[in-house]
């Protein structure tokens, strides 16, 4: 691999890292918002079920079942956030590998 091509690849991976960091921020925000929404809806559903006279032993299960779609959105946002962190780590590994190759090639050229 030529040094010019290698440096270009390093630059491109660094650019992708910057974009990934911005995307992770957005996904972290989405994750927090969906968590808040889930918790608020869960508490409201629990209160609603208590007011309706639902037996206390089944309130939690019923409340969670009644807002399952909101929980799904929360879990999906969490999964997307975690996947983006893993992708960022893969990019960092790729960048480190390219930097190691570049260092090795510069030592050989000297």
């Amino acid at each position: 691999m030529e040094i010019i091509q290698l440096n270009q690849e390093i630059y491109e991976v660094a650019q992708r890292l910057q974009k990934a960091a911005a995307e992770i921020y957005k996904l972290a925000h989405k994750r927090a918002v969906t968590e808040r929404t889930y918790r608020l809806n869960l508490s409201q559903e629990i209160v609603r079920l208590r007011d309706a006279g639902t037996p206390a032993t089944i309130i939690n299960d019923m409340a969670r079942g009644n807002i399952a779609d909101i929980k799904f959105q929360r879990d999906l946002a969490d999964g997307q956030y975690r996947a983006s962190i893993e992708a960022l780590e893969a990019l960092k590994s790729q960048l480190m590998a390219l930097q190691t190759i570049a260092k090795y090639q510069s030592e050989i050229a000297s």
Side-chain angles (χ1 to χ4, degrees):
M1 181 177 281
E2 290 185 32
I3 194 74
I4 295 172
Q5 182 185 3
L6 185 61
N7 285 334
Q8 180 63 32
E9 282 193 48
I10 289 172
Y11 175 78
E12 288 171 6
V13 171
Q15 293 299 308
R16 289 173 54 199
L17 275 170
Q18 285 182 328
K19 289 178 184 175
E23 187 63 27
I24 286 172
Y25 176 80
K26 291 177 192 173
L27 291 172
H29 182 266
K30 180 181 176 184
R31 178 184 181 208
V33 168
T34 57
E35 179 68 26
R36 180 184 64 203
T37 301
Y38 170 72
R39 288 180 183 267
L40 287 171
N41 281 282
L42 180 60
S43 65
Q44 290 170 356
E45 186 63 16
I46 288 171
V47 169
R48 188 188 70 73
L49 290 170
R50 279 192 186 143
D51 288 346
T54 305
T57 56
I58 62 171
I59 285 179
N60 286 335
D61 289 335
M62 284 185 66
R64 283 180 174 77
N66 291 346
I67 62 166
D69 289 337
I70 296 169
K71 185 175 183 180
F72 172 77
Q73 292 302 319
R74 179 201 69 169
D75 293 346
L76 181 61
D78 184 57
Q80 289 172 331
Y81 173 75
R82 291 178 189 273
S84 67
I85 294 292
E86 291 296 322
L88 182 72
E89 291 300 319
L91 281 173
K92 286 167 57 175
S93 295
Q94 182 181 1
L95 180 61
M96 288 189 315
L98 289 169
Q99 289 171 332
T100 300
I101 293 169
K103 181 180 177 185
Y104 178 72
Q105 283 187 345
S106 68
E107 287 175 0
I108 289 175
S110 300

